[in-house]
Amino acid sequence: MTTNADERRVLDAARTELFIGGQWRAGESGATAKVEDPATGEVLTEVADATPADGMAALDAATAAQPTIAAMPPRQRSEILYRAYTLLHERTDDLALLMTLEMGKPLAEAKGEVGYAAEFLRWFAEEAVRIDGGYQIAPNGQTRFLTLRQPVGVCVFVTPWNFPLAMGTRKIAPAVAAGCASIIKPAPQTPLTMLAFAQVLADAGLPDGALNVINATDAGAVMEPIIRDGRARKISFTGSTPVGKKLLEQAADKVLRSSLELGGNASFIVLDDADVDSAVEGAMIAKMRNMGEACTAANRFYVQSGVVEEFTAKLAERMGALTVGRGTEDGVNVGPLIDGKGLEKVTDLVADAVANGASVALGGEAVDGPGYFYPPTVLTGVPAGSRLNHEEIFGPVAPITVVESEQEALDAANSTEFGLVNYVYTQDLDRALRISENLDSGMIGLNTGLVSNPAAPFGGVKESGLGREGGMVGIEEFLETKYVAIGFSG
Ligand code: NAP
């Protein structure tokens, strides 16, 4: 192993079992799954691998805990979330190191994610005590309506590897705030971070069974029976669009409330009147955050002809100055991609664009192993038909296409089945408003390269998903509305 003493200590302390009904336990079959360091390809540790029976045990535990968490006074649920927020901050260094080891992102970004993930706990701690209801006089004056907001019930969560903690707290925090028990299946590449978080919530006083964590290498076999059982009443999934569609079909069987945060294909539009330095600054965040492995990552750059030369040169200079390496090392800005499949995809997409006529302004060749490294890459003259313009790159590659007008940029940006986020740089207010109103996406970054914020409604339209996470509406996804009609005789 190439781990140092700190890394060894964090790995030795890591939780590697299933967390069901408040107990840490091996899977029913005793099978384990390897967790790899994407920077070296070496095995870090092994975690329990759940069977469908373990999945059912988790559903039993969540179902048993549901009345307890639902009946808990909102202030108490809020205080559990506040305690978890504090504990997460106290444990930031170790959690971030664990995250970097299994996911690859630079340590500074992993610490940033712990802070971001913690903010969901604080935000929903504040929301837990603000769930309201209503009292209404019927139009004919003869009935009274009492409106209650009640927890939706047991929730099933499935999350990806790119933000192993924040994608979980974005679901778990509103569930706890609303009074819902849950089962979460993290991604097989990054189970350790979520298992560590389960311990945080247990230490914060969450009742046994209110959160259950199951790792499963055969995700479909373990999750489908849980989704089709009927006792869980909601599914919330973050991941790719094809898997989201499959889970939505399964959820239809028992009509589960469904929230889907799916793939993106964000455009990054820079118009002639933009402040180019600020656009480059924003592009560095929108493109390079998390090595480009983000659903919100800028996937297609549409830059107007008047500024394209300056923008390209400055972006290539900034991206070229980044240091690629193992995320645990000082000074590293770009870690490895998640696995061999991810690296192969980025390599293929770049090769396809170049074969179709794109020019390489920076990078463009995978770095030799071990590990799954791809260098910051800038491509120019990317033809519209290139796969890069239609598929999520999920890597540090910026494909730039010149556009002549605002309308051409808008049409190009909207020519995708995805609709998560688009970024626009312009200093003209009318233009900014016009383009924001006409872009088909759930979110717009206007003169900013970052839209994610626990206090804002995050989510997409078209095939990027259903529902919103965070913001004032975030808790709504976990509440049902019940109304009581009351006879009134005056
Ligand atoms: P993925 O392949 O869809 O996997 C996501 C999760 O779903 C993993 O835990 C995966 O486990 C699980 N899964 C796959 N098939 C399943 C099935 N039949 N039943 C139950 N679970 C199943 O996506 P990914 O590659 O991990 O993540 C990248 C994708 O997530 C990108 O498309 C990205 O845009 C999207 N994403 C979206 C958002 C958002 O908020 N919109 C945020 C982050 C990421 P296995 O790997 O074991 O199959």
Side-chain angles (χ1 to χ4, degrees):
M1 292 293 288
T2 52
T3 47
N4 68 23
D6 241 6
E7 295 167 16
R8 198 64 262 159
R9 175 183 57 76
V10 164
L11 285 170
D12 286 346
R15 289 287 182 186
T16 57
E17 293 168 296
L18 308 177
F19 187 62
I20 297 176
Q23 305 295 316
W24 292 100
R25 48 161 121 157
E28 170 238 16
S29 71
T32 56
K34 295 179 170 57
V35 183
E36 207 183 80
D37 178 347
T40 62
E42 290 178 14
V43 174
L44 294 167
T45 186
E46 302 203 9
V47 295
D49 192 7
T51 62
D54 294 316
M56 276 300 134
L59 180 58
D60 291 344
T63 306
Q66 181 54 42
T68 310
I69 183 98
M72 186 180 272
R75 178 64 71 198
Q76 222 174 310
R77 298 200 298 263
S78 170
E79 279 164 358
I80 290 170
L81 291 172
Y82 274 123
R83 276 197 295 276
Y85 166 82
T86 305
L87 287 173
L88 217 47
H89 276 286
E90 286 171 12
R91 296 178 195 179
T92 295
D93 287 351
D94 284 1
L95 259 167
L97 182 53
L98 196 60
M99 189 190 296
T100 292
L101 286 171
E102 65 176 351
M103 192 277 168
K105 68 179 73 184
L107 213 43
E109 286 204 49
K111 286 182 186 171
E113 184 180 338
V114 175
Y116 172 50
E119 281 307 316
F120 285 103
L121 301 170
R122 181 156 70 162
W123 176 261
F124 286 106
E126 289 156 352
E127 292 293 279
V129 290
R130 316 238 182 279
I131 299 167
D132 61 5
Y135 180 82
Q136 191 185 340
I137 300 171
N140 67 6
Q142 288 165 14
T143 317
R144 298 294 183 262
F145 303 151
L146 193 64
T147 308
L148 312 175
R149 311 304 313 282
Q150 295 183 314
V152 68
V154 171
C155 302
V156 181
F157 301 146
V158 178
T159 49
W161 47 264
N162 60 346
F163 293 96
L165 188 59
M167 296 303 96
T169 59
R170 201 159 80 167
K171 300 179 190 309
I172 296 165
V176 171
C180 300
S182 58
I183 303 152
I184 187 165
K185 191 207 80 64
Q189 297 93 334
T190 57
L192 301 175
T193 306
M194 185 45 61
L195 291 169
F197 179 63
Q199 187 63 59
V200 167
L201 270 183
D203 294 345
L206 191 73
D208 291 350
L211 173 71
N212 305 276
V213 186
I214 48 173
N215 306 303
T217 47
D218 194 348
V222 174
M223 300 312 289
E224 187 168 355
I226 299 177
I227 297 166
R228 291 194 190 275
D229 180 276
R231 282 179 288 166
R233 295 309 315 150
K234 176 178 175 69
I235 179 160
S236 179
F237 170 73
T238 299
S240 64
T241 296
V243 174
K245 288 178 183 178
K246 197 186 288 184
L247 297 185
L248 190 58
E249 274 180 31
Q250 294 173 12
D253 196 13
K254 291 283 178 2
V255 196
L256 269 60
R257 285 271 294 272
S258 302
S259 302
L260 304 172
E261 296 287 354
L262 308 178
N265 183 9
S267 75
F268 192 101
I269 297 171
V270 186
L271 297 174
D272 273 350
D273 61 75
D275 173 337
V276 175
D277 289 331
S278 146
V280 170
E281 199 59 48
M284 289 300 290
I285 300 168
K287 180 70 260 180
M288 294 308 299
R289 177 171 173 245
N290 223 40
M291 291 83 74
E293 292 174 316
C295 54
T296 51
N299 214 53
R300 302 167 291 153
F301 288 77
Y302 296 117
V303 185
Q304 211 171 345
S305 46
V307 291
V308 71
E309 224 171 279
E310 183 188 355
F311 178 81
T312 305
K314 287 182 169 171
L315 183 64
E317 191 188 339
R318 288 284 302 275
M319 283 175 63
L322 298 175
T323 303
V324 179
R326 190 167 189 243
T328 48
E329 284 163 19
D330 285 348
V332 164
N333 316 104
V334 184
L337 298 181
I338 188 67
D339 53 22
K341 236 173 78 189
L343 179 60
E344 196 181 306
K345 182 176 182 195
V346 175
T347 308
D348 287 354
L349 289 179
V350 171
D352 171 77
V354 172
N356 278 300
S359 305
V360 178
L362 177 75
E365 296 276 347
V367 179
D368 284 344
Y372 311 111
F373 294 96
Y374 200 90
T377 292
V378 177
L379 302 178
T380 58
V382 178
S386 301
R387 284 175 57 202
L388 273 176
N389 284 330
H390 303 280
E391 297 178 34
E392 276 188 298
I393 306 169
F394 253 54
V397 178
I400 299 177
T401 303
V402 190
V403 290
E404 295 303 331
S405 66
E406 173 191 328
Q407 190 61 44
E408 190 186 344
L410 182 65
D411 291 344
N414 283 341
S415 65
T416 169
E417 69 273 27
F418 295 106
L420 189 62
V421 59
N422 288 290
Y423 303 90
V424 185
Y425 275 77
T426 174
Q427 299 194 81
D428 178 319
L429 183 60
D430 283 348
R431 221 176 193 191
L433 294 178
R434 192 164 56 234
I435 202 161
S436 297
E437 286 178 12
N438 288 304
L439 281 167
D440 296 335
S441 55
M443 301 176 288
I444 311 274
L446 184 56
N447 295 325
T448 176
L450 184 71
V451 292
S452 306
N453 191 310
F458 187 104
V461 300
K462 299 200 280 185
E463 295 187 27
S464 285
L466 288 178
R468 295 292 179 267
E469 290 189 320
M472 312 276 272
V473 297
I475 199 163
E476 299 290 328
E477 308 261 337
F478 294 86
L479 294 169
E480 286 289 7
T481 300
K482 178 189 281 177
Y483 109 87
V484 183
I486 308 166
F488 182 66
S489 45

